[in-house]
Amino acid sequence: IAQKPAQYDASRPFSTWLFSVANNMCKNEYRREEVRRAAVPELAETMSGDAEISVRVTAAMALGNMGAAAQEAVPALIRALKDQDSQVRNWAATALGSIGPGAESAVPALKRAARIEGSRPAAEEAIRKIRGISTDQPLPPDEPLPEN
């Protein structure tokens, strides 16, 4: 109302207007969600080692920003944990953490990635997010990470 007062119809109840605004916001978010889901297979394919490093990193970042909607990309992100480039590995781990419990199948690969120098913090954080373990709590005994 403050930004576009002319669009508010004072003859209608405020609750009706508010419902219309909320309804339109939900529709817009749903449309964006559809676009994001449509991009997941292409972004997952981009994670292959054939693309430039910056492209693979950007694809991993985009998948991470999608959160659980990128669950279909988990296998590609698991493969990216073996990438020669540490940025790609770390962003793949971050993306898996952002996907959350839907990336449970990645935990063994994240444990292996934690053995690679420079990848341990991202891998450990991803496991914590996937398993819902707070950063102020130690990983439980069944979640030990290998020593470097």
Side-chain angles (χ1 to χ4, degrees), residues 31-146:
R31 288 182 194 118
R32 284 192 289 273
E33 179 79 16
E34 286 179 349
V35 170
R36 287 192 296 262
R37 285 187 194 272
V40 170
E42 288 186 41
L43 289 167
E45 186 177 328
T46 302
M47 293 300 304
S48 75
D50 298 339
E52 294 286 327
I53 291 170
S54 62
V55 173
R56 295 194 315 268
V57 167
T58 303
M61 292 169 104
L63 290 165
N65 286 334
M66 292 180 191
Q71 185 173 350
E72 179 184 340
V74 168
L77 290 165
I78 290 171
R79 287 190 299 275
L81 292 173
K82 297 177 188 174
D83 197 282
Q84 295 296 316
D85 187 82
S86 64
Q87 289 183 42
V88 175
R89 289 192 307 271
N90 290 335
W91 280 108
T94 300
L96 288 163
S98 295
I99 292 169
E104 177 67 32
S105 62
V107 171
L110 286 162
K111 288 180 180 181
R112 287 189 297 276
R115 293 185 188 120
I116 302 170
E117 187 175 338
S119 295
R120 185 182 181 104
E124 182 175 335
E125 180 65 19
I127 292 170
R128 288 179 180 284
K129 286 184 174 181
I130 291 167
R131 295 278 171 93
I133 302 168
S134 172
T135 55
D136 61 344
Q137 296 175 329
L139 289 173
D142 65 331
E143 294 299 333
L145 290 173

Side-chain angles (χ1 to χ4, degrees), residues 6-29:
Q7 290 187 354
Y8 176 66
D9 181 359
S11 66
R12 294 172 60 200
F14 181 76
S15 61
T16 302
W17 180 82
L18 188 59
F19 175 77
S20 296
V21 169
N23 185 40
N24 287 332
M25 289 175 71
C26 288
K27 285 181 190 175
N28 289 339
E29 182 57 30

